[in-house]
Amino acid sequence: AQAQQVLKSINPQNLSRPLANEMRILEAHLLLLQNHGYQSLNALHQINVPSELPAPQKIAYYHLLSMANKQIDNFLVSAEARMALDPWLPTDSAKQYNRQATWAMLNNMTANELGAQVRHTQYGDLQGWLELAYIYKMYSGEPDLLGGERQQWQQRYPRHPANSLLPAQ
């Protein structure tokens, strides 16, 4: 509450653009901690050009964007934010954790939702994530079919980030 009072006392128009962006990120984080996902997203959407943020702010921005969307059960957008976050993460272990979180977001979706998104998505990595999640939803009870579908997926997406999550068998 005290941090929120301090943030409210600051006029972002009196700050440089980088400081105003930092203020919005802090505001979004505080709102998220209070389970105000929609308000957190509003704070994040006040950042004009997220792609121009310095790397540390970009990491915080995409992480918070993912978490706020998760909080409001918008799992696809949460996964997309995780995908945008991935290239900015500094370590392999951070990337692996992020990819597991991406997978978890997509697994919150139903097979029907995933199938519909697969048909409407053209973007490469997102398409690959959606297809893989759909395959696992559809064939999880049939290991032989699952293995064949997974192999076909790996042939279509040999360099996809999700390959690091797949077990050998």
Side-chain angles (χ1 to χ4, degrees), residues 4 30 36 41 73 83-84 88 116 131 145 155 158 162:
Q4 217 164 14
L30 284 172
H36 298 302
L41 288 172
D73 295 335
M83 290 170 45
W88 300 103
E131 281 185 31
L145 290 174
Q155 289 171 354

Side-chain angles (χ1 to χ4, degrees), residues 7 100 126:
L7 279 177
Q100 290 169 344
L126 177 58

Side-chain angles (χ1 to χ4, degrees), residues 24-25 28-29 32 36-47 50-51 53 57-85 98 105:
R24 295 296 181 215
I25 288 170
H29 194 170
L32 187 64
H36 298 302
Y38 287 105
Q39 291 172 310
S40 180
L41 288 172
N42 286 337
L44 291 170
H45 290 310
Q46 291 180 36
I47 295 174
S51 62
L53 293 171
Q57 283 185 340
K58 200 176 290 191
I59 290 169
Y61 173 85
Y62 286 118
H63 178 75
L64 291 169
L65 186 62
S66 175
M67 297 304 293
N69 276 289
K70 176 185 177 188
Q71 201 170 79
I72 63 169
D73 295 335
N74 194 346
F75 301 117
L76 179 61
V77 177
S78 178
E80 289 173 323
R82 289 265 174 202
M83 290 170 45
L85 170 63
N98 187 57
M105 288 305 103

Side-chain angles (χ1 to χ4, degrees), residues 4-57:
Q4 217 164 14
Q5 282 181 321
V6 170
L7 279 177
K8 284 183 181 182
S9 72
I10 300 170
N11 182 350
Q13 293 178 339
N14 294 335
L15 300 174
S16 66
R17 188 173 177 183
L19 286 177
N21 288 338
E22 185 68 27
M23 182 184 146
R24 295 296 181 215
I25 288 170
L26 290 171
E27 180 183 12
H29 194 170
L30 284 172
L31 289 164
L32 187 64
L33 291 171
Q34 296 170 341
N35 293 317
H36 298 302
Y38 287 105
Q39 291 172 310
S40 180
L41 288 172
N42 286 337
L44 291 170
H45 290 310
Q46 291 180 36
I47 295 174
N48 291 334
V49 188
S51 62
E52 293 180 6
L53 293 171
Q57 283 185 340

Side-chain angles (χ1 to χ4, degrees), residues 82-83 85-86 89 93-102:
R82 289 265 174 202
M83 290 170 45
L85 170 63
D86 203 72
L89 294 171
S93 62
K95 288 177 189 267
Q96 188 70 2
Y97 176 83
N98 187 57
R99 291 168 186 171
Q100 290 169 344
T102 303

